[in-house]
């Protein structure tokens, strides 16, 4: 009977992993290119989710509801980068100072949303569809759609990064910005593109998160950001494949722990994996993190 | 009015202890401890559970671990110890050769997750409802002194401990240990070359800072008699840090001024004297928005604070014991 619960929880874990992976891919892409750990990412996720919630209340149908989140996320993300972060980056602030700026921006977004939402938790109705049996796992149509969306995002990112000139330029930028600029990579455009794509993914991740949790409040993004950052750091900054693999590990771990050890500790399990890697971390290789110090926003 | 003043005096002393403790870690050692509030919370919770008596007795409405009724000064010591232990555990995991911004993010993750776990697990510290009816020390004095007199007595007691904290911070501040810590912050390779072991120093400062933070948590819960996850959200660390950065990182009096401005003048006095606007809770949310804005303004206009860190001059150092060295000066 335990193996049934185990398989079932692994199935849930894969769905959770898909939810984490979409956010983690956006986060890691932006971290790799700009070298900035953006702690307001979770709040952009919340913004996206709220945008979809509002559009859903207008009854315009499924497509506008789904599109609202990435759209608002992209706009918020690029606005943040071009206004606030650009101002502070111009003052020769380093990676840590800019991280503190993103934290402040996140705090402002969170509590402004909280004030606008009258501190409420909103219900988000999303039909989860029929159940589907795939081998030993049981999925709902909705969770299959989430997994499909994550796979699609991964495929699109990999194709864009590795098969197009644009992707080559982005990868060059993330390795050595000065050299890339000297080679004629249009920095400004590339970086804005990164903020737009990662913001859209953040918005989408926010929407996907509420389709799974069914409730949304102003503080939701931060809690979810924990798993997103853990996956992005675990997977190695700038690596979409690493982010997805790490999301799988974390997603399955959280759900297995939820099934066996009590749901209170499910998120803590995701963090415990990150803590373990930090403690046992090999000094080189995929967990060494980017070594360059300058931030390009 | 006297009631409010004594309450605010207690809050200010508690906030100051916490701010000086965090300044050791953030200012002296350069560690972005965004999980600082966990150490204060650990102190507060441990104070509560060793003062409340066994779980399920008179306080059957709440569940918690341990459950003892130690006589007064002991819960404070337990609180300080708990803060130190939690800080040490945090430090052992996070004080790795990691980029500073990554480290900050990991601390933040710990703060958020710990809050989630404690809120959800009702058996630990009564979940999101938190612990209440924590006995105040020497509460029998309330009948003889009256509530107002008792409040001032508690404020005086907190102030004495706060002064003790200050003398500890000042004593450490002039020591070679603190200079080694700052040296490791500014130039790790250089400090290492001079025989300083940064990892050990940082764990030490974590432990000391954690003890002070735990003590402050114990003092606070002994006064307000209740403690719940709402009192130690991640943003509380942010408020303490805003005070430190506004006043001046690594400057004890700067931290004093900044803490007064942010925690007392801004957070407490506005809550007291401004009329309640909108629905309940709106002004709290707006206070956090303003703290975020304040933080940005300080980083932009006065990154070194109102009272900047003082540079150590050779002349202020203790004369060297070996005569050849002082000749070389």
């Amino acid at each position: 009977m335990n193996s049934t619960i185990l398989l079932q929880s692994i199935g849930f874990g894969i769905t959770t992993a898909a939810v984490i992976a979409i956010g983690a891919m956006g986060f890691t892409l932006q971290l790799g290119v700009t070298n900035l750990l953006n702690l307001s990412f979770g709040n952009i996720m919340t913004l996206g989710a709220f945008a979809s919630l509002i559009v859903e209340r207008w009854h315009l149908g499924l497509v506008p509801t789904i599109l609202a989140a990435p759209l608002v996320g992209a706009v918020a993300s690029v606005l943040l980068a071009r206004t606030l972060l650009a101002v502070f980056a111009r003052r020769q602030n380093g990676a840590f100072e800019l991280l503190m700026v993103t934290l402040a921006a996140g705090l402002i977004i969170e509590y402004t949303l909280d004030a606008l939402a009258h501190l409420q938790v909103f219900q988000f109705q999303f039909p989860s569809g029929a159940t589907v049996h795939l081998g030993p796992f049981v999925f709902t149509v909705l969770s299959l759609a989430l997994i499909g969306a994550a796979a699609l995002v991964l495929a699109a990112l990999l194709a864009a990064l590795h098969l197009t000139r644009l992707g080559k330029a982005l990868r060059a930028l993330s390795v050595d910005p000065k050299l890339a600029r000297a080679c004629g990579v249009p920095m400004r455009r590339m970086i804005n593109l990164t903020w737009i794509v990662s913001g859209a993914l953040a918005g989408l991740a926010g929407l996907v998160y509420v389709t799974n949790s069914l409730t949304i409040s102003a503080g939701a993004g931060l809690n979810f950001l924990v798993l997103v950052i853990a996956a992005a750091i675990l997977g190695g900054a700038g690596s979409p494949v690493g982010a997805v693999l790490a999301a799988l590990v974390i997603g399955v771990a959280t759900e297995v722990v939820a099934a066996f050890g009590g749901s209170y500790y499910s998120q803590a399990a995701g963090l415990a994996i990150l803590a373990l890697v930090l403690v046992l971390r090999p000094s080189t290789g995929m967990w060494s993190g980017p070594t360059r110090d300058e931030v390009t926003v | 009015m006297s009631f409010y003043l004594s309450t605010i005096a207690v809050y200010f002393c508690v906030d100051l202890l916490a701010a000086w403790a965090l300044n050791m870690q953030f200012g002296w050692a350069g560690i972005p401890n965004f999980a600082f509030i966990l150490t204060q919370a650990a102190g507060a919770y441990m104070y509560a559970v060793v003062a409340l008596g066994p779980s399920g007795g008179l306080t059957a409405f709440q569940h918690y671990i341990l459950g003892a009724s130690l006589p007064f000064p002991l819960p404070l010591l337990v609180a300080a110890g708990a803060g130190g232990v939690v800080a040490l555990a945090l430090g052992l995991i996070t004080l790795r050769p990691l980029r500073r911004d990554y480290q900050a993010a990991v601390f933040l993750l710990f703060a958020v997750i710990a809050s989630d776990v404690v809120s959800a697990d009702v058996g630990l510290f009564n979940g999101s409802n938190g612990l209440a009816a924590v006995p105040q020390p020497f509460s029998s004095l309330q009948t003889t002194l009256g509530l107002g007199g008792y409040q001032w007595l508690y404020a005086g007691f907190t102030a004495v401990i706060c002064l003790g904290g200050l003398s500890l911070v000042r004593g450490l501040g002039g020591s070679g240990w603190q200079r080694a810590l700052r040296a490791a912050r500014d130039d790790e390779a250089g400090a290492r070359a001079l025989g300083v072991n940064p990892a050990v120093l940082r764990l030490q400062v974590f432990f000391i800072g954690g003890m002070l933070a735990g003590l402050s948590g114990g003092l606070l819960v002994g006064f307000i008699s209740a403690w719940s996850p709402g009192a130690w959200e991640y943003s509380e660390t942010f408020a303490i840090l805003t005070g430190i950065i506004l006043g001046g990182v690594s400057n004890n009096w700067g931290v004093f001024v900044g803490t007064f401005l942010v925690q007392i003048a801004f957070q407490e006095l506005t809550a007291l004297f401004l009329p309640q606007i909108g629905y309940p809770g709106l002004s709290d949310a707006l206070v956090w928005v303003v703290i975020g804005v304040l933080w940005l303004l300080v980083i932009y206009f006065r990154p070194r604070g109102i009272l900047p860190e003082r540079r150590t001059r050779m002349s202020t150092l203790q004369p060297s014991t070996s005569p050849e060295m002082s000749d070389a000066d």
Side-chain angles (χ1 to χ4, degrees):
Chain A
M1 119 284 170
N2 272 354
S3 66
T4 334
I5 299 178
L6 181 66
L7 283 174
Q8 185 62 52
S9 61
I10 291 176
F12 284 141
I14 295 171
T15 310
T16 307
V19 176
I20 301 171
I22 294 176
M25 282 188 277
F27 188 85
T28 204
L29 174 76
Q30 187 247 301
L31 176 60
V33 172
T34 64
N35 197 25
L36 169 70
L37 243 163
N38 177 12
L39 292 179
S40 64
F41 192 85
N43 306 99
I44 291 175
M45 288 169 45
T46 322
L47 270 180
F50 266 105
S52 280
L53 178 75
I54 292 169
V55 173
E56 195 232 18
R57 298 268 157 107
W58 292 342
H59 300 292
L60 295 177
L62 196 61
V63 177
T65 306
I66 292 175
L67 285 183
L71 203 67
V72 167
V75 170
S77 168
V78 78
L79 266 182
L80 181 76
R82 285 283 57 82
T83 56
L84 195 64
L85 295 178
V87 165
F88 278 88
R90 222 175 287 137
R91 292 213 117 186
Q92 309 294 316
N93 281 305
F96 179 68
E97 284 74 17
L98 283 173
L99 167 121
M100 298 209 292
V101 172
T102 64
L103 185 57
L107 196 77
I108 294 171
I109 296 175
E110 177 179 336
Y111 282 98
T112 306
L113 271 179
D114 221 2
L116 291 176
H118 290 225
L119 320 177
Q120 280 180 44
V121 177
F122 292 93
Q123 302 291 318
F124 208 127
Q125 298 300 328
F126 228 87
S128 58
T131 52
V132 181
H133 290 262
L134 278 184
F137 304 126
V138 186
F139 291 105
T140 62
V141 171
L142 177 66
S143 63
L144 283 180
L146 297 185
I147 295 168
L152 209 65
V153 169
L154 175 66
L157 264 186
L158 284 183
L161 282 176
H162 292 276
L163 300 180
T164 64
R165 277 184 66 84
L166 195 82
K168 207 176 200 172
L170 269 182
R171 282 184 293 139
L173 198 59
S174 77
V175 175
D176 191 338
K178 287 200 184 96
L179 190 59
R181 181 151 54 182
C183 293
V185 171
M187 285 269 280
R188 180 63 54 230
R189 260 187 18 226
M190 287 294 157
I191 286 172
N192 283 342
L193 181 71
T194 306
W195 282 100
I196 289 172
V197 172
S198 75
L201 286 177
L204 189 63
L207 173 63
V208 159
Y209 174 66
V210 290
T211 59
N212 213 27
S213 74
L214 300 178
T215 59
I216 172 81
S217 66
L222 190 80
N223 276 311
F224 187 58
L225 180 69
V226 168
L227 296 183
V228 167
I229 294 185
I233 295 183
L234 199 59
S239 158
V241 178
V244 171
L245 289 179
L248 261 178
V249 172
I250 291 175
V252 170
T254 55
E255 293 299 338
V256 168
V257 167
F260 287 96
S263 52
Y264 320 137
Y265 295 95
S266 67
Q267 283 212 325
L271 191 63
I273 292 174
L274 180 69
L276 208 64
V277 171
L278 285 179
V279 173
L280 305 174
R281 193 173 68 120
S283 52
T284 54
M286 85 187 252
W287 287 305
S288 58
T291 45
R292 68 195 171 95
D293 199 40
E294 78 273 37
V295 174
T296 40
V297 296
Chain B
M1 192 62 215
S2 161
F3 181 82
Y4 284 126
L5 277 181
S6 53
T7 305
I8 282 177
V10 173
Y11 285 174
F12 186 41
C13 291
V14 166
D15 289 339
L16 262 182
L17 265 183
W20 280 326
L22 179 55
N23 182 48
M24 281 186 196
Q25 299 167 350
F26 181 79
W28 297 357
I31 305 164
N33 185 4
F34 284 3
F36 175 79
I37 203 69
L38 288 190
T39 51
Q40 192 184 42
Y45 275 127
M46 289 311 290
Y47 180 101
V49 296
V50 298
L52 265 170
S55 175
L58 278 173
T59 53
F61 61 93
Q62 49 190 359
H63 300 277
Y64 44 87
I65 54 166
L66 295 174
S69 31
L70 301 181
F72 172 61
L74 290 181
L76 270 186
L77 297 182
V78 172
V85 168
V86 166
L88 207 57
L90 256 179
L92 282 173
I93 294 170
T94 47
L95 295 178
R96 306 267 147 193
L98 205 62
R99 254 174 49 172
R100 198 158 169 240
D101 48 345
Y102 277 52
Q103 210 174 34
V106 173
F107 277 121
L108 186 69
L109 304 192
F110 273 98
V112 173
I113 292 285
S115 172
D116 284 351
V117 167
V118 173
S119 301
D121 191 344
V122 180
L124 215 50
F125 299 112
N126 205 36
S128 56
N129 288 331
L131 299 170
V134 181
Q136 292 185 306
F138 305 116
S139 49
S140 57
L141 284 177
Q142 279 180 7
T143 44
T144 46
L145 289 174
L147 189 56
Y150 178 80
Q151 290 242 62
W152 278 112
L153 181 72
Y154 201 99
F157 174 68
T158 329
V160 168
I161 294 196
C162 189
L163 282 176
L166 177 64
S167 63
L168 174 72
V169 169
R170 283 178 62 94
L172 288 175
S175 68
W177 176 79
Q178 190 249 19
R179 286 199 301 276
L181 207 55
R182 279 164 56 188
R185 173 196 71 188
D186 293 335
D187 183 355
E188 174 147 1
R192 227 181 255 282
L194 290 174
V196 167
N197 185 346
V200 171
L201 287 181
R202 285 176 189 148
L203 277 179
Q204 285 168 343
V205 81
F206 245 60
F207 186 67
I208 299 173
M211 292 225 294
L212 276 184
L215 187 65
S216 76
L219 281 172
L220 186 57
V221 83
F223 183 68
I224 59 179
S225 300
W227 194 250
S228 68
W232 51 282
E233 281 172 25
Y234 81 99
S235 42
E236 297 288 339
T237 308
F238 203 70
I240 304 174
L241 262 182
T242 311
I244 292 177
I245 294 179
L246 173 66
V249 178
S250 286
N251 182 320
N252 292 337
W253 294 111
V255 171
F256 181 92
V257 171
T259 303
F260 179 78
L261 289 177
V262 173
Q263 306 267 47
I264 303 301
F266 180 64
Q267 278 195 288
E268 302 296 342
L269 295 184
T270 50
L272 205 59
F273 292 113
L274 286 186
Q276 187 65 243
I277 46 162
Y279 53 88
L282 174 63
S283 48
D284 285 344
L286 293 181
V287 159
W288 285 113
V289 173
V290 176
I291 284 193
V293 173
L294 188 65
W295 167 274
L296 289 175
L297 291 177
V298 172
I299 299 182
Y300 191 80
F301 288 108
R302 268 203 98 76
R304 286 165 57 72
I306 297 171
L307 300 172
E309 177 175 10
R310 267 183 272 171
R311 314 253 324 240
T312 310
R313 289 199 202 83
M314 285 309 278
S315 57
T316 64
L317 299 181
Q318 312 254 315
S320 171
T321 44
S322 86
E324 301 95 291
M325 285 295 283
S326 35
D327 283 347
D329 284 343

